[in-house]
Amino acid sequence: MTQLLVMLARVFVSLVLAAFLGMAPSGASTEDGASGATPLMLANSYHSNVDLSAYWVSEKYDGIRAYWDGEQFFTRGGERIHAPAWFTAGWPQLALDGELWAGRGRFAEAVSTARRQKPEDAAWRNMHFMVFDLPLHGGVFDERLPALQTVIAQLDVPWVQAVRQVRVRDEQSLQALLQKTVKAGGEGLMLHRGASLYRAARNDDLLKLKLHEDAEARVIAHLPGKGKHQGRLGALLVEMPDGQRFRLGTGFSDAQRTSPPAIGSWVTYRYRDKNRSGIPRFASFMRVREDIIVPSR
């Protein structure tokens, strides 16, 4: 009986806070269609003819996309993230969308920390949850942003931060901010349309801007090497989300050619542009994406 009363009390507090902040009581709608995937808002790549006055701009953090459902963490692929109890102690029973981040240039450390079934306390001391949205809020981003800032300010713990959002005047200012961010070790920028509702879909309400394009693909086969790579990996045969396949043969270290990414795993690759059929040109391997099941933001 006591446990039941505690549970009901927690639900009541959550609903009261949700009503105060304008949260919608139902879950975020999804158009992603990926089985088991967390319903998240996904980004398109930045392109010309964007009305910059309609967007907020923030740093693109190179970490693990993480969804707090009010009780526990999930990756964008729907896998549970096991954080230490102290890390999430006192957090609101509200959905938070953000990035588990270990710092600039420390993506591998963030992945290693988040993937452990038994959380390592010392590793989590280096992690931050950079929160950029409230998925179940019923308003547009211009309204969700101050509500998010209120939630994070009330939580008041140093490892949870609301992502700083700014406005830019024009394309020149945007590109200058990109260069400054990358020079400081950042990955790039995100642009979020102020008038957009939270929809679990990929569209221009959310845009990513980087110096180089990148994307994810699934490993289909290991193709044998020749010459100096005889007996090791020559290239990966990978498949893009649209079903097209291509060879990914550059960007690997000697260790990766000896022990290549597993068949069925997802990898991130960098490319310059695409040919007429949509195949990436000058594609180069970047890393294994161990934090996702399906490609996303």
Side-chain angles (χ1 to χ4, degrees), residues 64 75 79 107-108 111-112 115 265-268 287-293:
I64 309 300
T75 68
E79 297 176 309
F107 172 79
V111 172
S112 176
R115 292 189 73 231
S265 64
W266 288 88
V267 298
T268 298
R287 61 192 176 213
V288 176
R289 289 307 301 249
E290 298 177 290
D291 60 315
I292 61 174
I293 297 174

Side-chain angles (χ1 to χ4, degrees), residues 156-177:
D156 192 27
V157 293
W159 54 89
V160 182
Q161 299 178 20
V163 170
R164 181 173 178 265
Q165 304 282 347
V166 300
R167 298 281 195 176
V168 296
R169 296 187 304 274
D170 49 32
E171 181 72 23
Q172 182 177 358
S173 300
L174 179 68
Q175 294 298 330
L177 180 58

Side-chain angles (χ1 to χ4, degrees), residues 6-201:
V6 171
M7 181 183 70
L8 291 174
R10 291 180 66 190
V11 172
F12 176 75
V13 171
S14 176
L15 291 174
V16 170
L17 183 56
F20 174 74
L21 294 172
M23 306 294 177
S26 59
S29 63
T30 179
E31 299 174 18
D32 188 38
S35 177
T38 304
L40 299 177
M41 193 171 188
L42 309 177
N44 279 336
S45 294
Y46 178 78
H47 54 83
S48 59
N49 302 319
V50 170
D51 178 10
L52 291 175
S53 67
Y55 285 83
W56 291 91
V57 181
S58 63
E59 179 173 342
K60 185 181 189 302
Y61 291 96
D62 192 17
I64 309 300
R65 184 79 178 271
Y67 180 91
W68 171 257
D69 71 351
E71 294 185 351
Q72 54 191 357
F73 268 130
F74 293 94
T75 68
R76 63 192 184 185
E79 297 176 309
R80 173 81 184 278
I81 298 174
H82 299 276
W86 62 262
F87 193 86
T88 59
W91 285 22
Q93 288 189 299
L94 301 171
L96 304 175
D97 187 4
E99 201 90 358
L100 280 171
W101 185 62
R104 289 170 170 167
R106 299 170 69 179
F107 172 79
E109 180 180 330
V111 172
S112 176
T113 300
R115 292 189 73 231
R116 293 189 179 100
Q117 293 293 310
K118 184 176 181 180
E120 184 177 312
D121 194 76
W124 277 91
R125 295 288 178 188
N126 296 323
M127 296 284 272
H128 290 79
F129 187 37
M130 309 300 292
V131 189
F132 44 72
D133 216 332
L134 295 174
L136 303 189
H137 189 292
V140 298
F141 188 65
D142 284 339
E143 298 166 336
R144 299 199 301 273
L145 184 54
L148 167 63
Q149 293 167 342
T150 297
V151 169
I152 302 306
Q154 291 178 342
L155 182 56
D156 192 27
V157 293
W159 54 89
V160 182
Q161 299 178 20
V163 170
R164 181 173 178 265
Q165 304 282 347
V166 300
R167 298 281 195 176
V168 296
R169 296 187 304 274
D170 49 32
E171 181 72 23
Q172 182 177 358
S173 300
L174 179 68
Q175 294 298 330
L177 180 58
L178 173 64
Q179 293 291 340
K180 179 180 178 181
T181 302
V182 171
K183 185 176 181 180
E187 186 183 18
L189 300 176
M190 299 298 299
L191 289 80
H192 204 143
R193 195 195 307 271
S196 64
L197 294 171
Y198 193 102
R199 294 188 296 144

